Amino acid sequence: MRTRHGLRVLSVYDGFFSGGARIVHSDVLLGLAEGGQHHRVLSVHGEVHREATRQRMEDDACYRALTGAGITVTSLGRSARDGGGPAPFTGPELADTARATADADVILSLKEQPLRLLNQAGLPRRPVVVCLHRSDPENQGGALDELKSAIADGTVAACVCCAESTRDAYAAAGVPEALLHVIPNGVDLLRFRPDPARRLAVRSALGVPATAPVVVFAARWDAMKNVPLFLRSARSWLAREGRGHVLMCGAGMEAANAGLAAELASVFGADRALAGRVHLLGVRQDMEAVYAAADVVALTSSWGEAAPLCLVEGMMCGAVPVTTDVGDSASIVSGLGLVTPPDPDAVAFAWSAAVADRAALTGALTASRERFSRTRMIAAYADLLDRVVHDVRDGLRPGLGG
């Protein structure tokens, strides 16, 4: 019997594009493969156009990390654009999917969107574990219906929820609570840590003085992130903090994004002095260095968040988290940072308070590191996959064999 060290696992992604869920899931696969499991990835899309950015699978940092570790990644070769409706799956696409699923003991679906593919008739039946990373299941188009259909069909053996808010939201939406298992996000503590050398290098490259207060905002260009609130907060803060700087990272956080350029013009107007202290960095592959350069990691999201990865990564690098009360954010930063109402002045004052309290919070941030460990997260995934495969082979979920 294959257990942890011989388990064959297929992960199905909707695509490779910027976002915390893909970073977490890909890191989980790397850790499980290090432990002896055999992993493959099938991506529905080979490239996506979203957040005002063309994102090719081969250019993605997660893709490169997976393939660099020897994990096979293939794609159905589709291209997706914001607002574009999905086309029916073709015979060759379903044949490729059937070959990939037939060779697996268990399938991991990164969020519920890939279930539209996995629910197609005629594919080999394997137990599916759905990895859920949001707290707004009703706001995912037809994905919730696909999840419920797969549950009713008996193919979903478990759902991993990255946050308590995720479990509560999906239970309220009608997903059986017995299927919902909470495994909080974790990060590589060797990579994400305070680092004075990285801090100085990033600041020097951006022309930011070593002693200037710095706020980092790591988010993609999406309405849920409430970028207008962040920019209004940044203007208020920069007007008061004459030495302050703001770093904006993520897909779409660049001058080429016309939507962001319009928001910046609306908020800052002709005040070039203030706007000049807003640094648009786009997608970065060295977020551990960017976070280390910051004093505050900010989140201004309005909905949808579950366990925002930016808060955890930023905290582990020594930045004080300041967040709106969305998903599990308040519980994540409890005793380590600040929660604010969605008001620009309130957010700006909280940033200043966080900068002032940073030295006093260093001990608490250091003591919290084990709680956010990648090792703990990967061990929990390994245990769940073992239980799923054992239960299926023991006949506890009939109808899933061969």
Side-chain angles (χ1 to χ4, degrees):
M1 175 182 294
R2 293 184 182 89
T3 53
R4 285 187 194 179
H5 298 295
L7 203 64
R8 300 172 303 175
V9 184
L10 172 71
S11 283
V12 184
Y13 290 22
D14 191 44
F16 281 83
F17 43 88
S18 180
R22 277 147 197 81
I23 293 172
V24 170
H25 193 94
S26 299
D27 200 30
V28 167
L29 300 194
L30 292 171
L32 292 173
E34 290 166 2
Q37 292 184 358
H38 302 290
H39 284 262
R40 295 183 60 195
V41 176
L42 173 65
S43 177
V44 175
H45 295 97
E47 70 172 18
V48 297
H49 298 253
R50 50 183 287 163
E51 287 93 46
T53 308
R54 180 194 180 203
Q55 301 180 61
R56 295 175 63 250
M57 181 176 77
E58 293 82 2
D59 298 332
D60 185 80
C62 291
Y63 171 86
R64 293 200 298 269
L66 292 168
T67 55
I71 295 176
T72 300
V73 181
T74 58
S75 168
L76 297 184
R78 291 187 164 211
S79 179
R81 293 182 177 273
D82 281 330
F89 291 105
T90 66
E93 290 173 335
L94 292 176
D96 287 345
T97 305
R99 284 190 289 271
T101 55
D103 195 39
D105 298 308
V106 61
I107 298 170
L108 290 174
S109 174
L110 176 51
K111 304 175 72 173
E112 56 268 58
Q113 284 78 6
L115 293 173
R116 191 177 81 87
L117 172 63
L118 296 175
N119 283 345
Q120 298 294 309
L123 296 178
R125 290 175 62 83
R126 299 293 184 267
V128 175
V129 176
V130 186
C131 302
L132 304 173
H133 289 270
R134 291 180 63 118
S135 60
D136 58 345
E138 304 286 358
N139 192 34
Q140 299 296 294
L144 180 60
D145 290 337
E146 295 287 357
L147 175 59
K148 290 181 176 179
S149 176
I151 291 170
D153 188 54
T155 56
V156 172
C159 298
V160 174
C161 304
C162 72
E164 299 288 345
S165 56
T166 302
R167 178 176 62 186
D168 294 345
Y170 279 84
V175 175
E177 291 190 36
L179 291 176
L180 299 170
H181 305 264
V182 177
I183 301 179
N185 290 340
V187 300
D188 182 349
L189 298 180
L190 293 177
R191 177 185 175 196
F192 293 97
R193 56 184 173 80
D195 190 313
R198 289 173 177 167
R199 180 179 178 88
L200 182 60
V202 170
R203 284 171 172 247
S204 296
L206 297 175
V208 175
T211 59
V214 172
V215 173
V216 64
F217 179 66
R220 54 195 172 84
W221 175 251
D222 188 278
M224 68 178 276
K225 302 296 183 179
N226 204 342
V227 177
L229 171 60
F230 177 81
L231 292 176
R232 292 196 298 273
S233 303
R235 192 188 197 291
S236 176
W237 184 71
L238 290 169
R240 190 170 60 254
E241 297 283 351
R243 298 184 307 117
H245 287 258
V246 169
L247 314 181
M248 300 181 68
C249 311
M253 300 301 169
E254 51 195 338
N257 179 358
L260 177 58
E263 288 288 351
L264 283 164
S266 174
V267 171
F268 287 90
D271 197 335
R272 295 187 177 180
L274 288 187
R277 288 187 278 137
V278 177
H279 305 264
L280 305 181
L281 306 184
V283 176
R284 296 280 294 222
Q285 310 302 336
D286 62 341
M287 286 306 300
E288 66 277 14
V290 176
Y291 288 128
D295 301 293
V296 175
V297 55
L299 184 78
T300 55
S301 295
S302 299
W303 71 83
E305 301 283 5
L309 192 61
C310 64
L311 295 180
V312 178
E313 291 179 342
M315 287 191 299
M316 296 302 95
C317 292
V320 177
V322 178
T323 180
T324 47
D325 188 3
V326 58
D328 276 23
S329 297
S331 63
I332 288 171
V333 309
S334 179
L336 305 171
L338 300 170
V339 179
T340 70
D343 172 78
D345 289 330
V347 173
F349 277 112
W351 292 353
S352 293
V355 171
D357 292 344
R358 183 167 178 259
L361 288 168
T362 297
L365 289 169
T366 301
S368 73
R369 289 178 66 79
E370 183 179 351
R371 171 186 166 195
F372 298 107
S373 165
R374 169 187 190 260
T375 302
R376 179 264 313 150
M377 173 182 68
I378 291 169
Y381 270 88
D383 287 342
L384 178 61
L385 291 178
D386 272 351
R387 293 201 306 271
V388 164
V389 173
H390 284 205
D391 286 352
V392 168
R393 288 175 175 170
D394 289 344
L396 298 182
R397 291 189 63 80
L400 286 170

